[in-house]
Amino acid sequence: MPEPLDQALAEVRELLLAPGLTRAVAAGRRRGHAPSVSRAQVRPVTLKSGRKLQIVTDDGSRPFTRNVDPGAEAAAAFDELLAEPFGNWHVETETSTVQVRITKKGDAQVHRAAATVAATAGPQAHDRAKQWLLDPGDPLFEVIGGNAAKRRQIDAFLRALAATLPDELPSPLRVVDLGCGNAYLTFAAYRYLAGRGAQVQVVGVDVREDQRVRNTAVAERLGCAADVSFVAGTIEEAALPFTPDLVLALHACDTATDQALARAVRWEAKWVLAAPCCHHDIAAQLKNVKTPFPYGETTRHAILRERFADVLTDSLRAALLRLHGYRVDVVEFIDSAHTPRNLLLRSRRTGAEPTAEQRTEYADLTAQWGVDPALAKMLAS
C-alpha cells in the first residue's frame, strides 16, 4: 500500500541515526529527476578515533568516502542524502530490514521485515571491501539466495554488461532477455541499470509458462513489476511491447542462441550480449563432411571435434554479426571454474558495411569446412 513519501523518508532517517544500523544503500532515481550521485552507502565503522558512520557515494566514475561522527554531523549528512531524488532506499538494522521504493506518482512503497541474518557484534572493521557492481545486500539476493558463487557470477556478468554499454545510458533503456529461465540475471541487469540512473524497461522471455508465473511473482516481491515483465513464448515468436535496445541471451541451448542473435539483428538492437551453451549443430555437420587437409587430427577424436565445433560455431557467429553491422568482442566473462560455458559474444551495433575481405573470409571458411551455420540460414530467411 503506498505511503506518504515524507513519512517513509522520516522512518529511514530515524533508522540511519539509530545505534543498531548495520548498513544502508540508496540508488536509482525518481521519475523526471536525477540525483547528484548514482549511489550512496552508509555503514558503521570503527577507526582509531572511535566509532564513525562511513558514507560512500559514487558519481559513476569513482567512489568518494567520508567518515562522520554520530550525532549532529551525521544528521546533517543524512539530510543531504535524503534530499536527493533517489528511487530506492534499503536499510538494515540489527533487528529489521526496511525497503523503500518511490513510485512514479511520488508515493513510497515500503516493505518491512525482520532481520534475516544476525548482525555482527559492533561496527564493522575498516577493511577495504570488494566493490561489487550490485551490492551483496541488495534485496534481490534475499529472493534468489546470496551465496558467494552466485554473487561472483552476477558481478562478472554485470562487469561485462558495463563494458558493453556507454557511460551515458539512454533513457528509457529497453531490454529483452531471450531464454531467461529463472531470470536472476534478468533481475540483476535491471537492478544494476536502474541504479545507474536510467529508466529501464525489461521483458524476459521463456518458453515455459510456469517460469513466467514464478518470475512475475518475484518482480512483484521486489517491487519492480511495473518495469520488469515476463512472457511465455519461443525466442523466435514471442511478442514484445517494444523494440529492444539491449538483447541478452545467456546460455540458450544450441541453436536457440542463433535464434536470439537473429532476432537481435532484425531488431537492429544497439547492444547484444550472448553466452552460448551447447553447440550441437556445427558438431553434427562436421561428422558428415570430409575434414580439409591438413586438419584431420582436429576432428578425428570425438572430444577434439566437439571442442573445435565450439570454436568454429562461435567464430562464425561473430563473423556473421560483423557482416550485419556489429562490432564483436569474444571474451571470457567468468572463470571456467564457475561454468565451462563462460564465453561471451559482446556486440555493439555500428551499422558499418562489411568489407570485401570480411565477406570473402566468411565464404572461404564455411566452404572449406563444408558447414552451413544455423544463424546464416535464419538471417537469410
Side-chain angles (χ1 to χ4, degrees), residues 175-186 202-208 211-212 215 229-238 240 247-253 255-261 263 267 273-277:
V175 184
V176 63
D177 188 350
L178 297 173
C180 65
N182 61 17
Y184 70 86
L185 289 177
T186 316
V202 181
V203 173
V205 175
D206 195 88
V207 71
R208 292 171 50 183
Q211 289 284 37
R212 185 198 66 79
N215 294 337
S229 60
F230 296 89
V231 297
T234 65
I235 288 175
E236 290 181 303
E237 298 179 354
L240 268 61
V247 175
L248 307 176
L250 307 170
H251 296 144
C253 189
T255 55
T257 294
D258 299 299
Q259 294 167 1
L261 293 176
R263 286 208 81 176
W267 281 321
L273 269 72
C277 191

Side-chain angles (χ1 to χ4, degrees), residues 18-54:
L21 176 73
T22 56
R23 62 189 297 276
V25 177
R29 68 177 185 177
R30 298 175 205 168
R31 187 177 189 181
H33 301 278
S36 62
V37 294
S38 59
R39 174 187 176 83
Q41 178 171 304
V42 180
R43 65 173 184 145
V45 296
T46 300
L47 306 179
K48 290 182 180 179
S49 56
R51 182 181 184 274
K52 304 285 184 180
L53 290 168
Q54 183 180 88

Side-chain angles (χ1 to χ4, degrees), residues 91-114:
V91 185
E92 298 174 8
T93 72
E94 295 173 357
T95 58
S96 65
T97 297
V98 174
Q99 301 168 37
V100 178
R101 183 179 71 85
I102 290 79
T103 68
K104 293 179 180 179
K105 295 181 178 180
D107 296 319
Q109 289 280 2
V110 185
H111 176 72
R112 302 174 180 88

Side-chain angles (χ1 to χ4, degrees), residues 185-203:
L185 289 177
T186 316
F187 286 112
Y190 170 77
R191 304 289 286 193
Y192 167 68
L193 294 170
R196 284 182 54 177
Q199 179 191 344
V200 186
Q201 296 174 283
V202 181
V203 173

Side-chain angles (χ1 to χ4, degrees), residues 5 9 16 23 54 56 113 132 152 172 199-201 219 238 242 304 309 352 361 376:
L5 178 58
L9 293 181
L16 291 173
R23 62 189 297 276
Q54 183 180 88
V56 181
W132 300 95
R152 282 194 294 271
Q199 179 191 344
V200 186
Q201 296 174 283
F242 52 66
L304 295 179
E361 185 176 17

